[in-house]
Amino acid sequence: MDYGILRENDGRLTASWQEPNPAIRYHLRQYNLTLLSEVLLPEFLERTGAKAYVDPLLTVRKAWRDVYVYDKQGLCQGWTRYSHGRTYEFDLEGWLLPRGRGEKSVAVKYVKDTATGTLIFVPR
């Protein structure tokens, strides 16, 4: 299936026929459903305004800052996490590297700290 996307460049509309990524396809489908239900067939189609579920761990405060690490070719190798005056190295899959890059990785578990209300990570 081809998707046509209009883009504005320097005040002119241009058509793009490249295959959009999954996020853009999702939003195009939602936009098309809205047009159908609100403009073209308002008495036939009815869309619910149900809210999407969000994992509570995604909205909990985090006491760290992650900075992505890239190699000389510009490929992402993981990230460095700064938390409470310490640094932690993580690989590209999110595993902790307790002894640094190139060493054995360890899975981590994320839990909410009930005392502070922040998200913490614990090596498994």
Side-chain angles (χ1 to χ4, degrees), residues 89-105:
E89 299 294 327
F90 285 80
D91 66 11
L92 194 55
E93 295 177 355
W95 289 52
L96 178 64
L97 301 166
R99 295 196 173 106
R101 302 219 170 269
E103 298 295 326
K104 184 176 178 178
S105 59

PDB file of all heavy atoms in Angstrom, residues 89-105:
ATOM      1  N   GLU A  89      27.217   2.349  33.330  1.00  0.00           N
ATOM      2  CA  GLU A  89      27.240   2.108  31.889  1.00  0.00           C
ATOM      3  C   GLU A  89      26.194   1.052  31.538  1.00  0.00           C
ATOM      4  O   GLU A  89      26.056   0.050  32.244  1.00  0.00           O
ATOM      5  CB  GLU A  89      28.624   1.623  31.433  1.00  0.00           C
ATOM      6  CG  GLU A  89      29.736   2.612  31.685  1.00  0.00           C
ATOM      7  CD  GLU A  89      29.606   3.880  30.865  1.00  0.00           C
ATOM      8  OE1 GLU A  89      29.107   3.806  29.726  1.00  0.00           O
ATOM      9  OE2 GLU A  89      29.992   4.941  31.369  1.00  0.00           O
ATOM     10  N   PHE A  90      25.467   1.297  30.432  1.00  0.00           N
ATOM     11  CA  PHE A  90      24.466   0.364  29.932  1.00  0.00           C
ATOM     12  C   PHE A  90      24.761   0.064  28.479  1.00  0.00           C
ATOM     13  O   PHE A  90      25.226   0.935  27.736  1.00  0.00           O
ATOM     14  CB  PHE A  90      23.056   0.959  30.049  1.00  0.00           C
ATOM     15  CG  PHE A  90      22.519   0.976  31.446  1.00  0.00           C
ATOM     16  CD1 PHE A  90      22.897   1.967  32.334  1.00  0.00           C
ATOM     17  CD2 PHE A  90      21.642   0.000  31.871  1.00  0.00           C
ATOM     18  CE1 PHE A  90      22.403   1.991  33.628  1.00  0.00           C
ATOM     19  CE2 PHE A  90      21.142   0.001  33.165  1.00  0.00           C
ATOM     20  CZ  PHE A  90      21.525   1.007  34.045  1.00  0.00           C
ATOM     21  N   ASP A  91      24.473  -1.183  28.059  1.00  0.00           N
ATOM     22  CA  ASP A  91      24.670  -1.523  26.653  1.00  0.00           C
ATOM     23  C   ASP A  91      23.436  -1.108  25.855  1.00  0.00           C
ATOM     24  O   ASP A  91      22.479  -0.557  26.403  1.00  0.00           O
ATOM     25  CB  ASP A  91      25.011  -3.002  26.470  1.00  0.00           C
ATOM     26  CG  ASP A  91      23.878  -3.951  26.846  1.00  0.00           C
ATOM     27  OD1 ASP A  91      22.730  -3.501  27.069  1.00  0.00           O
ATOM     28  OD2 ASP A  91      24.139  -5.159  26.911  1.00  0.00           O
ATOM     29  N   LEU A  92      23.446  -1.380  24.574  1.00  0.00           N
ATOM     30  CA  LEU A  92      22.378  -0.959  23.681  1.00  0.00           C
ATOM     31  C   LEU A  92      21.044  -1.630  24.000  1.00  0.00           C
ATOM     32  O   LEU A  92      19.983  -1.101  23.693  1.00  0.00           O
ATOM     33  CB  LEU A  92      22.784  -1.240  22.229  1.00  0.00           C
ATOM     34  CG  LEU A  92      21.966  -0.578  21.137  1.00  0.00           C
ATOM     35  CD1 LEU A  92      21.911   0.922  21.323  1.00  0.00           C
ATOM     36  CD2 LEU A  92      22.532  -0.919  19.786  1.00  0.00           C
ATOM     37  N   GLU A  93      21.078  -2.797  24.636  1.00  0.00           N
ATOM     38  CA  GLU A  93      19.846  -3.516  24.976  1.00  0.00           C
ATOM     39  C   GLU A  93      19.336  -3.166  26.369  1.00  0.00           C
ATOM     40  O   GLU A  93      18.356  -3.737  26.829  1.00  0.00           O
ATOM     41  CB  GLU A  93      20.086  -5.019  24.856  1.00  0.00           C
ATOM     42  CG  GLU A  93      20.372  -5.432  23.422  1.00  0.00           C
ATOM     43  CD  GLU A  93      20.693  -6.903  23.301  1.00  0.00           C
ATOM     44  OE1 GLU A  93      20.782  -7.600  24.337  1.00  0.00           O
ATOM     45  OE2 GLU A  93      20.867  -7.363  22.167  1.00  0.00           O
ATOM     46  N   GLY A  94      20.008  -2.250  27.066  1.00  0.00           N
ATOM     47  CA  GLY A  94      19.546  -1.818  28.375  1.00  0.00           C
ATOM     48  C   GLY A  94      20.086  -2.618  29.536  1.00  0.00           C
ATOM     49  O   GLY A  94      19.591  -2.500  30.650  1.00  0.00           O
ATOM     50  N   TRP A  95      21.105  -3.433  29.300  1.00  0.00           N
ATOM     51  CA  TRP A  95      21.694  -4.218  30.373  1.00  0.00           C
ATOM     52  C   TRP A  95      22.817  -3.417  31.017  1.00  0.00           C
ATOM     53  O   TRP A  95      23.576  -2.723  30.335  1.00  0.00           O
ATOM     54  CB  TRP A  95      22.235  -5.536  29.832  1.00  0.00           C
ATOM     55  CG  TRP A  95      21.141  -6.495  29.429  1.00  0.00           C
ATOM     56  CD1 TRP A  95      20.097  -6.231  28.607  1.00  0.00           C
ATOM     57  CD2 TRP A  95      21.008  -7.846  29.826  1.00  0.00           C
ATOM     58  NE1 TRP A  95      19.317  -7.343  28.457  1.00  0.00           N
ATOM     59  CE2 TRP A  95      19.858  -8.353  29.203  1.00  0.00           C
ATOM     60  CE3 TRP A  95      21.754  -8.675  30.636  1.00  0.00           C
ATOM     61  CZ2 TRP A  95      19.425  -9.655  29.378  1.00  0.00           C
ATOM     62  CZ3 TRP A  95      21.326  -9.984  30.805  1.00  0.00           C
ATOM     63  CH2 TRP A  95      20.165 -10.461  30.184  1.00  0.00           C
ATOM     64  N   LEU A  96      22.936  -3.540  32.334  1.00  0.00           N
ATOM     65  CA  LEU A  96      23.970  -2.842  33.085  1.00  0.00           C
ATOM     66  C   LEU A  96      25.328  -3.477  32.831  1.00  0.00           C
ATOM     67  O   LEU A  96      25.453  -4.703  32.778  1.00  0.00           O
ATOM     68  CB  LEU A  96      23.640  -2.904  34.580  1.00  0.00           C
ATOM     69  CG  LEU A  96      24.625  -2.269  35.546  1.00  0.00           C
ATOM     70  CD1 LEU A  96      24.713  -0.763  35.327  1.00  0.00           C
ATOM     71  CD2 LEU A  96      24.216  -2.566  36.977  1.00  0.00           C
ATOM     72  N   LEU A  97      26.341  -2.646  32.672  1.00  0.00           N
ATOM     73  CA  LEU A  97      27.724  -3.103  32.494  1.00  0.00           C
ATOM     74  C   LEU A  97      28.490  -2.714  33.758  1.00  0.00           C
ATOM     75  O   LEU A  97      29.115  -1.650  33.814  1.00  0.00           O
ATOM     76  CB  LEU A  97      28.346  -2.461  31.254  1.00  0.00           C
ATOM     77  CG  LEU A  97      27.609  -2.739  29.947  1.00  0.00           C
ATOM     78  CD1 LEU A  97      28.076  -1.806  28.856  1.00  0.00           C
ATOM     79  CD2 LEU A  97      27.790  -4.189  29.552  1.00  0.00           C
ATOM     80  N   PRO A  98      28.456  -3.544  34.813  1.00  0.00           N
ATOM     81  CA  PRO A  98      29.038  -3.146  36.100  1.00  0.00           C
ATOM     82  C   PRO A  98      30.543  -2.909  36.054  1.00  0.00           C
ATOM     83  O   PRO A  98      31.073  -2.129  36.838  1.00  0.00           O
ATOM     84  CB  PRO A  98      28.695  -4.298  37.044  1.00  0.00           C
ATOM     85  CG  PRO A  98      28.194  -5.401  36.210  1.00  0.00           C
ATOM     86  CD  PRO A  98      27.862  -4.866  34.863  1.00  0.00           C
ATOM     87  N   ARG A  99      31.239  -3.534  35.136  1.00  0.00           N
ATOM     88  CA  ARG A  99      32.691  -3.357  35.043  1.00  0.00           C
ATOM     89  C   ARG A  99      33.097  -2.527  33.831  1.00  0.00           C
ATOM     90  O   ARG A  99      34.262  -2.491  33.474  1.00  0.00           O
ATOM     91  CB  ARG A  99      33.373  -4.716  35.001  1.00  0.00           C
ATOM     92  CG  ARG A  99      33.174  -5.483  36.295  1.00  0.00           C
ATOM     93  CD  ARG A  99      34.148  -6.626  36.399  1.00  0.00           C
ATOM     94  NE  ARG A  99      34.042  -7.237  37.701  1.00  0.00           N
ATOM     95  CZ  ARG A  99      33.470  -8.405  37.929  1.00  0.00           C
ATOM     96  NH1 ARG A  99      32.971  -9.095  36.942  1.00  0.00           N
ATOM     97  NH2 ARG A  99      33.419  -8.889  39.152  1.00  0.00           N
ATOM     98  N   GLY A 100      32.138  -1.910  33.157  1.00  0.00           N
ATOM     99  CA  GLY A 100      32.445  -1.047  32.023  1.00  0.00           C
ATOM    100  C   GLY A 100      32.170  -1.699  30.685  1.00  0.00           C
ATOM    101  O   GLY A 100      31.810  -2.882  30.598  1.00  0.00           O
ATOM    102  N   ARG A 101      32.345  -0.926  29.621  1.00  0.00           N
ATOM    103  CA  ARG A 101      32.083  -1.392  28.258  1.00  0.00           C
ATOM    104  C   ARG A 101      33.026  -2.535  27.891  1.00  0.00           C
ATOM    105  O   ARG A 101      34.186  -2.536  28.251  1.00  0.00           O
ATOM    106  CB  ARG A 101      32.241  -0.250  27.273  1.00  0.00           C
ATOM    107  CG  ARG A 101      31.322   0.886  27.605  1.00  0.00           C
ATOM    108  CD  ARG A 101      30.715   1.549  26.400  1.00  0.00           C
ATOM    109  NE  ARG A 101      29.671   2.458  26.880  1.00  0.00           N
ATOM    110  CZ  ARG A 101      28.413   2.119  27.025  1.00  0.00           C
ATOM    111  NH1 ARG A 101      28.008   0.934  26.703  1.00  0.00           N
ATOM    112  NH2 ARG A 101      27.535   2.977  27.485  1.00  0.00           N
ATOM    113  N   GLY A 102      32.497  -3.501  27.162  1.00  0.00           N
ATOM    114  CA  GLY A 102      33.282  -4.646  26.739  1.00  0.00           C
ATOM    115  C   GLY A 102      33.302  -5.772  27.758  1.00  0.00           C
ATOM    116  O   GLY A 102      33.875  -6.826  27.504  1.00  0.00           O
ATOM    117  N   GLU A 103      32.696  -5.572  28.899  1.00  0.00           N
ATOM    118  CA  GLU A 103      32.652  -6.599  29.938  1.00  0.00           C
ATOM    119  C   GLU A 103      31.260  -7.237  29.977  1.00  0.00           C
ATOM    120  O   GLU A 103      30.361  -6.855  29.231  1.00  0.00           O
ATOM    121  CB  GLU A 103      32.994  -5.975  31.303  1.00  0.00           C
ATOM    122  CG  GLU A 103      34.387  -5.380  31.373  1.00  0.00           C
ATOM    123  CD  GLU A 103      35.485  -6.431  31.226  1.00  0.00           C
ATOM    124  OE1 GLU A 103      35.307  -7.568  31.679  1.00  0.00           O
ATOM    125  OE2 GLU A 103      36.514  -6.093  30.617  1.00  0.00           O
ATOM    126  N   LYS A 104      31.085  -8.199  30.873  1.00  0.00           N
ATOM    127  CA  LYS A 104      29.824  -8.937  30.983  1.00  0.00           C
ATOM    128  C   LYS A 104      28.692  -8.011  31.454  1.00  0.00           C
ATOM    129  O   LYS A 104      28.869  -7.199  32.351  1.00  0.00           O
ATOM    130  CB  LYS A 104      29.990 -10.094  31.960  1.00  0.00           C
ATOM    131  CG  LYS A 104      28.773 -10.969  32.051  1.00  0.00           C
ATOM    132  CD  LYS A 104      29.004 -12.157  32.943  1.00  0.00           C
ATOM    133  CE  LYS A 104      27.720 -12.958  33.008  1.00  0.00           C
ATOM    134  NZ  LYS A 104      27.836 -14.150  33.803  1.00  0.00           N
ATOM    135  N   SER A 105      27.516  -8.171  30.823  1.00  0.00           N
ATOM    136  CA  SER A 105      26.360  -7.348  31.182  1.00  0.00           C
ATOM    137  C   SER A 105      25.446  -8.089  32.155  1.00  0.00           C
ATOM    138  O   SER A 105      25.450  -9.309  32.235  1.00  0.00           O
ATOM    139  CB  SER A 105      25.586  -6.960  29.922  1.00  0.00           C
ATOM    140  OG  SER A 105      25.157  -8.115  29.234  1.00  0.00           O
TER     141      SER A 105
END
